[in-house]
Amino acid sequence: MISANNVTYRVGKKALFEDVNIKFTEGNCYGLIGANGAGKSTFLKILSGALDTTNGDIAITPGQRLSVLEQDHFKYDAYPVMDVVIMGNERLYQVMKEKDAIYAKEDFSDEDGIRASELEAEFAEMDGWDAESNAAMLLNGLGVETELHYSIMSELNGNEKVKVLLAKALFGNPDILLLDEPTNHLDLDAIAWLEEFLINFNNTVIVVSHDRYFLNKVCTHTADIDYGKIQLFAGNYDFWYESSQLIIKQRKEANKKKEEQIKELQEFISRFSANASKSKQATSRKRALEKIELDDIKPSSRKYPYIDFRPEREIGNEVLTVDSISKTINGEKVLDNISFIVGHDDKIAFVGGNEHAKTTLFKILMGEMEPDSGTYKWGVTTSQAYFPKDNTEEFDNDYTITEWLMGYSPVKDVTYVRGFLGRMLFAGDDGVKKVKVLSGGEKVRCLLSKMMISGANCLIFDEPTNHLDMEAITALNEGMIKFKGVELFSCHDHQVVQTTANRIIEILPDGSIIDKVTTYDEYLESDEMARKRTVYTSTATDEED
């Protein structure tokens, strides 16, 4: 068990948390939710001991081991992948290294023999002989290929490093597991594996995530941070939302009844306070009136942007034809002779573990990259707006937010442009901020403003939910569902894919595709084994060749 006792944390004069008391008990998974800036990551750091409280303390059951998902992707660049995962159990790793150092000695003494014997006993007690196989199971489950298990961390790409650090946090059955955005940069298959792992995990988990489907799947409880307080709900994210809305509704109804009662008492007192025969009753009602207190209902600190993509032109029957496109990058065939036709009602989710393949396809369709072979053709009635995964170049300039969006606006009017920015929560002086200093989430909101102002009838999104908070993801999800046009998108948010897409195209490891008109959940359920057989067959064929 881990608990916060009267915890206050101040940044300057501002109290981020005030007198927080909460217990996280064994066998439960707690989703820690709240608006951006509410302090979710800060609270995890306080629980882990990385930050000291201003007042109060954190208590952990003696003897229990706490594990944290680390965020520094370069910290272990000099170490082998397998070593990094086993470092998740710090004591086990220390024993392994000390044991190896003793056995490597040329002048092995009696004292060394005694020490080695002690270490061997401790090593066996910690299940050390199975450490590498357990670590390999975690890595394979998260999609880190076996040939990378003994590579040096610096040789891995960013997504692979994230998976290794997650495997490190999960390794060795920790008693308390703290996970800050564990689904970031994970593909949908890896997220599904992590969901099953946490569902079957018997100890304490506290997780911060913007993935609503993930929170609904794994959480037994929800801890809501709002206005420096943390309120605990038994149930997952959807249960929290329904419960919190019900509580607000009940308080408003209770206040309405109290207001009606106050009005009746005031009218009686006003009519009869000067009447001798009614004076006692009037005095009694004055005392009753003084005791009535309205509930203080604070509005939530959460803010929802308004995302509404409106196509200027209705789309025709001919939208997009992709014919036999192939592309090889750095010796890897990421797209292999793929063909498909997009209809005017299609909202297609592109899924699969190869993120590079999806990004490459989108860049080709937007004219940013040439295919090695094959062609594509957009219909004459189509117009496209594109959300790139990497937006570095887009914001590498000295424009203010207003100037930047004005460059893409068909109407060169500041008031018109600021209307779109206002929908995305850029208010007042925000418009004069330089785009190069914006946070990741602010840049994403700018790109969504650009897509809204374009009036395009074909939208391409490459991982649009990265860097967004729960409220913005919810707004984007609703905007994508309502859009009266064509959408081609990749997204790690299961709920966005499930509720938006009416067609699934999976890009397989060999660069070919599976194309099905179906929802995502139906696709996973009906084609899971077929997908695995297809991947196996293509791999076997390659080996035979």
Side-chain angles (χ1 to χ4, degrees):
M1 184 184 77
I2 182 170
S3 62
N5 306 307
N6 298 314
V7 166
T8 295
Y9 181 77
R10 295 183 182 278
V11 180
K13 293 183 178 180
K14 180 185 176 183
L16 197 56
F17 303 108
E18 192 86 54
D19 296 328
V20 169
N21 289 281
I22 190 169
K23 291 181 180 179
F24 303 99
T25 57
E26 187 176 347
N28 293 320
C29 179
Y30 299 85
L32 190 61
I33 65 171
N36 268 6
K40 301 183 294 294
S41 296
T42 300
F43 190 68
L44 282 190
K45 289 177 182 177
I46 291 171
L47 291 176
S48 71
L51 285 178
D52 292 327
T53 64
T54 305
N55 291 305
D57 62 84
I58 303 299
I60 298 177
T61 302
Q64 290 199 335
R65 185 168 69 85
L66 183 146
S67 184
V68 179
L69 173 58
E70 297 182 70
Q71 305 296 322
D72 185 351
H73 300 168
F74 305 98
K75 182 177 179 180
Y76 300 100
D77 270 2
Y79 294 89
V81 167
M82 187 61 69
D83 279 26
V84 173
V85 177
I86 296 174
M87 285 178 192
N89 187 333
E90 187 176 356
R91 180 55 191 160
L92 174 60
Y93 185 73
Q94 290 172 348
V95 169
M96 285 178 61
K97 289 304 172 185
E98 186 178 352
K99 188 162 63 78
D100 290 346
I102 290 174
Y103 289 140
K105 285 185 175 182
E106 294 183 3
D107 52 341
F108 192 85
S109 65
D110 291 342
E111 289 80 5
D112 290 330
I114 294 170
R115 180 58 181 161
S117 177
E118 293 171 347
L119 292 171
E120 290 288 6
E122 188 176 357
F123 184 72
E125 189 177 335
M126 289 188 289
D127 201 21
W129 295 111
D130 293 326
E132 289 197 10
S133 62
N134 290 337
M137 287 175 61
L138 293 172
L139 290 168
N140 287 334
L142 289 166
V144 180
E145 300 297 333
T146 302
E147 57 264 27
L148 296 176
H149 292 188
Y150 293 92
S151 300
I152 300 300
M153 282 286 282
S154 59
E155 299 172 1
L156 273 58
N157 64 37
N159 288 355
E160 290 164 344
K161 286 182 179 180
V162 169
K163 292 178 177 181
V164 174
L165 292 177
L166 181 54
K168 175 181 180 290
L170 303 178
F171 178 77
N173 195 36
D175 300 290
I176 301 163
L177 184 56
L178 306 182
L179 301 175
D180 192 356
E181 296 294 353
T183 62
N184 276 4
H185 308 292
L186 293 188
D187 55 78
L188 288 166
D189 287 339
I191 293 172
W193 180 90
L194 178 61
E195 287 167 358
E196 290 304 312
F197 181 93
L198 294 178
I199 288 168
N200 295 309
F201 188 72
N202 294 322
N203 298 331
T204 305
V205 182
I206 306 171
V207 57
V208 171
S209 176
H210 291 146
D211 189 326
R212 298 158 295 169
Y213 181 90
F214 177 77
L215 292 176
N216 281 329
K217 199 84 183 283
V218 305
C219 291
T220 60
H221 294 71
T222 302
D224 178 33
I225 302 179
D226 213 351
Y227 290 107
K229 302 294 182 183
I230 302 181
Q231 188 172 2
L232 191 61
F233 295 79
N236 61 16
Y237 178 81
D238 280 351
F239 181 84
W240 161 80
Y241 184 79
E242 292 170 6
S243 299
S244 61
Q245 295 302 304
L246 180 60
I247 289 170
I248 292 171
K249 182 180 178 182
Q250 289 173 338
R251 286 181 176 174
K252 286 182 177 178
E253 289 175 350
N255 272 359
K256 187 176 180 181
K257 289 180 180 178
K258 288 178 182 178
E259 287 169 352
E260 290 172 354
Q261 187 180 0
I262 288 170
K263 185 178 179 181
E264 289 177 4
L265 291 172
Q266 287 175 335
E267 286 177 352
F268 185 92
I269 294 167
S270 177
R271 286 178 60 192
F272 299 110
S273 58
N275 187 319
S277 63
K278 300 279 188 178
S279 61
K280 286 186 178 181
Q281 293 179 38
T283 301
S284 175
R285 281 167 170 73
K286 282 182 182 179
R287 286 196 292 266
L289 181 61
E290 290 169 358
K291 292 178 181 179
I292 297 175
E293 292 184 4
L294 296 176
D295 289 335
D296 182 19
I297 304 174
K298 285 186 177 180
S300 173
S301 59
R302 292 173 171 83
K303 294 181 180 179
Y304 290 83
Y306 178 68
I307 299 177
D308 186 19
F309 305 107
R310 295 185 182 182
E312 288 184 357
R313 181 179 184 180
E314 188 174 343
I315 203 164
N317 289 326
E318 293 185 8
V319 181
L320 172 66
T321 300
V322 174
D323 185 16
S324 305
I325 281 182
S326 294
K327 184 69 178 180
T328 298
I329 298 177
N330 297 327
E332 177 191 359
K333 178 157 276 191
V334 293
L335 301 172
D336 186 15
N337 197 36
I338 68 170
S339 301
F340 57 90
I341 296 173
V342 178
H344 62 80
D345 293 323
D346 279 341
K347 293 185 176 182
I348 306 174
F350 288 80
V351 301
N354 192 338
E355 304 295 307
H356 196 29
K358 289 175 275 188
T359 296
T360 299
L361 175 62
F362 293 156
K363 285 185 174 182
I364 289 172
L365 296 180
M366 290 304 297
E368 295 186 2
M369 185 181 288
E370 290 293 326
D372 296 334
S373 60
T375 61
Y376 68 93
K377 182 180 179 182
W378 288 100
V380 294
T381 63
T382 66
S383 56
Q384 301 82 38
Y386 176 45
F387 183 101
K389 181 187 289 186
D390 183 0
N391 57 43
T392 306
E393 292 185 10
E394 188 78 63
F395 298 101
D396 186 19
N397 55 69
D398 287 320
Y399 290 131
T400 65
I401 297 176
T402 303
E403 291 169 342
W404 177 86
L405 188 57
M406 183 80 78
Y408 299 105
S409 175
V411 179
K412 304 302 180 183
D413 178 75
V414 172
T415 303
Y416 179 79
V417 169
R418 284 185 173 172
F420 282 87
L421 292 174
R423 294 179 189 178
M424 298 306 295
L425 308 181
F426 293 109
D429 293 339
D430 287 341
V432 298
K433 286 174 70 173
K434 298 285 188 179
V435 293
K436 64 169 57 177
V437 302
L438 297 178
S439 68
E442 288 172 327
K443 288 177 179 178
V444 169
R445 287 189 275 125
C446 278
L447 288 172
L448 293 174
S449 298
K450 173 187 170 183
M451 295 182 79
M452 285 193 290
I453 211 168
S454 72
N457 54 24
C458 294
L459 305 181
I460 297 181
F461 297 96
D462 193 359
E463 300 299 341
T465 60
N466 290 351
H467 306 293
L468 290 182
D469 60 19
M470 192 88 74
E471 293 70 42
I473 291 172
T474 300
L476 173 61
N477 193 178
E478 292 172 354
M480 291 175 72
I481 292 169
K482 291 188 300 182
F483 178 60
K484 304 296 184 183
V486 166
E487 291 174 335
L488 311 179
F489 68 98
S490 67
C491 184
H492 290 158
D493 189 297
H494 186 117
Q495 190 162 333
V496 169
V497 178
Q498 170 59 20
T499 57
T500 304
N502 56 21
R503 180 176 168 189
I504 304 295
I505 294 181
E506 177 171 9
I507 303 180
L508 298 172
D510 64 353
S512 62
I513 63 171
I514 297 174
D515 186 353
K516 295 287 184 181
V517 177
T518 182
T519 66
Y520 184 59
D521 282 348
E522 289 170 344
Y523 179 73
L524 291 177
E525 199 171 311
S526 63
D527 282 89
E528 186 172 15
M529 294 309 296
R531 289 188 305 125
K532 290 178 180 178
R533 285 197 298 272
T534 304
V535 172
Y536 174 78
T537 302
S538 66
T539 304
T541 303
D542 290 343
E543 290 172 351
E544 289 167 6
D545 292 342

